[in-house]
Amino acid sequence: MSSEHIHGEGGGACHGNESNTYSVTDIADKDQNKILKKVSITPTIKEFVVYCPAISGFCKAGQFVVVRASEKAERVPLTIADYNVKAGTITMVVQIVGVASAKIDKLDEGERFLDIVGPLGHESEIKNFGTVVCIGGGLGIAPVAPIQKALKEAGNKIYSISGGRSKEFIFWEEHSRVTSDEFFPVTDDGSYGEKGFVTTVLQRLIDSGEKIDRVIAIGPPIMMKVVADLTREYGIKTIVSLNSIMVDGTGMCGGCRVEIAGETKFTCVDGPEFDAHDVNFDLMFKRLNTYTDTERALHSDYQDAEDEKLKNKISRVDMPTQDPDVRRHNFDEVALGYTQEMAMTEASRCIQCKKPMCMAGCPVGIDIPAFIKNIADGDFVAAARKIKENNNLPAVCGRVCPQESQCEAKCVLGIKGEPVAIGRLERFAADTEASLGIKEMPESVEKSGFKVAVVGAGPAGLAASADLARMGHDVTIFEALHTAGGVLAYGIPEFRLPKAIVKRECSFLEQLGITFRFDMPIGATIGVPGLLESGFDAVFIGSGAGLPYFMDIPGENLNGVYSSNEFLTRINLMKAYLEDYDTPVLRKKNVAVIGGGNVAMDSARSALRLGADNVYILYRRGRNEMPARLEEIEHALEEGVILKELTAPLEIIGNDKGWVKEIRCQVMRLGSEDSSGRRKPIPKEGSEYTIKVEEVIVAIGQGPNPILTRKWPELELSPRGNINVDEKQMTNIDGVFAGGDIVTGAATVILAMGAGKEAAAGIDEYLKNKKRK
């Protein structure tokens, strides 16, 4: 064992003295040394629960094991701080401080340590001493846990002190509190508990006059020395557990020798616990530094090698796009998609993490590594099928979802480079499957006999409907417009999301047996109570947030002022940009768009394509605070949209015929953060100016449309008019569920779909319970 080892690399709450019931056959168990659980306590502290029945049956508090992660790895002693005879497990905690622990950290659940030897060392002395102070410093918190528990069970009064650099290093507080009479957290920076060192609290306990019969101190060597120096003054018996250099752990090498009361002792066979007042700490410090330089060099080389592995996978494959000077004059899709070669190259960048964090960032739980591996292997249809296990609109989500703040934000390659282009690969798989004309349907399921009404054919409603149909329920979608898709149809422009793709994705739902009823605004005609009365067993409301907000400034009712909803609906749903469609839309040369989100970008880029010479985006904060996707901002600027950040509109000014002629603005500066977490815009005095425009598009958000709710006073709403739901997406009305923007306010497509899926699960459970009754 090298000097990398920090004592206390173990963890948990010891399960006690169950008798050993294991035989020789248990020792040969094929799952021996298998990691059953791995937990990140902090980014550098990891807990391992390992199946070791041949060891757990013999464990006592205070003992340790020696482990080897792989063939070339170092032998590392780790304290056993939890053992469960019945489960056949031991628990250890490792701090990632060098090459040996870094290689241990490479192991994940389901994998095995190559070697685990133990239990080794003498067990702790456990009896009723009286009053005992148990001190764990840093990683020392872990090995103190089973000793403290055993001492408490022996009848001692326990004071527990846990010390760390900051709050995150005070772990297992629940164990410490349960097995102590009083618990004292201490941090160097004062971020939790008392500011100071463990000796600060120890001194106060001594000064209280209460007799302390014993102190147990485990942690960094310097901490144990300081504790020993303090207790020596008062003659308090103090036990420390030493972490000297060790290779074999069985007494063979003698590398773990320490000086105790002037005699040489071996930590592995004579310890690891010793009387603190007999330890020659100064000599121990010197021996611990034996391999410091060597280990520093090894760790540097190891890290360089790991960095090089990542570096080879950093170059992200760019997706081809239309030239900005060309695309600003058409409504064709900007992004052209990956070729097969591009997709396979990008997919090969995925390092197939054993515990993929990208999946945690996906609101619908797609098995991202699996579908990416299928693409890397050239099996594109299998990739599409894997995605569709959780997402019925992959071609849509691959285009419009903010992967950079969700799945891609958690990709490990993004730590030192660019994350895998998960969204682009999702789009590629869906488009490739469609281009091959493959329409494989999921296996049919037994019909439940229940009927579910879904209000709204937007992302939330479509996701809920698909899952409910796959669960065997009879689903009917009621949509106020004449086509399916909701915001996908009326809000997102053709150049970002071709409507043929929306139609293609929605046709899959028809194949599932879902019935669409268009031109049916629920609430304007029949209400949700009427749906329930007409035979539906449950209702899901996914009507979205379609009521536009305005700024409430003078001039908003002038001719030439649009809400973004109206402007985009005319263009996208009614195709006003095409000459052979009848719906009109204004085509002005100078246009101002107010807002900084994706809808503002869509509006500005659409205005350019309608022939505007100058399109201004007016945003009262800075570019860094804009909520729009970075890609959308960059595309808008490439196409010639003019961003006027730190600009707040004050008034829209009209001519004598009632048409917009200019907009009066004020320059802002950013102050401290407001309730949204962004810096608050503050007006600059005397900074007003005007911009000559003939058209203004207000894109500052939208709220819930009251058509469905205004005639239904029994339904509980939030102060902003959103529907209140419980953890299963059910409203206060029995059998009525809701999800998406009507609940959360305007959000993303994928979050709405996630809510739809959660609601489908809630509805299915509700109907099953209803059937039982």
Side-chain angles (χ1 to χ4, degrees), residues 169-224:
F169 291 96
I170 306 296
F171 59 95
W172 283 341
E173 180 177 340
E174 67 279 10
H175 297 315
S176 299
R177 289 188 182 278
V178 167
T179 58
S180 66
D181 294 273
E182 196 161 355
F183 171 71
F184 302 95
V186 185
T187 52
D188 295 351
D189 61 3
S191 57
Y192 186 58
E194 186 169 342
K195 183 177 182 179
F197 302 100
V198 294
T199 49
T200 306
V201 178
L202 179 58
Q203 181 71 67
R204 190 167 64 248
L205 290 173
I206 294 171
D207 292 342
S208 71
E210 181 176 2
K211 183 177 183 294
I212 296 174
D213 298 286
R214 180 165 288 214
V215 171
I216 310 292
I218 306 178
I222 187 62
M223 183 215 82
M224 292 189 288

Side-chain angles (χ1 to χ4, degrees), residues 59 61 258 276 281 291 379 429 437 607 648 662 707 761:
C59 290
V258 290
F281 280 104
Y291 297 106
D379 195 343
E662 58 189 9
I707 287 180

Side-chain angles (χ1 to χ4, degrees), residues 23-42:
S23 65
V24 175
T25 56
D26 295 306
I27 297 174
D29 194 301
K30 62 182 177 63
D31 289 327
Q32 183 80 8
N33 302 347
K34 184 176 181 180
I35 299 168
L36 304 182
K37 181 180 179 183
K38 180 181 179 182
V39 178
S40 292
I41 296 172
T42 75

Side-chain angles (χ1 to χ4, degrees), residues 577-593:
Y577 67 95
L578 296 174
E579 293 182 0
D580 55 343
Y581 277 73
D582 297 338
T583 300
V585 66
L586 295 176
R587 298 171 182 259
K588 300 296 183 178
K589 293 300 181 182
N590 299 289
V591 180
V593 177

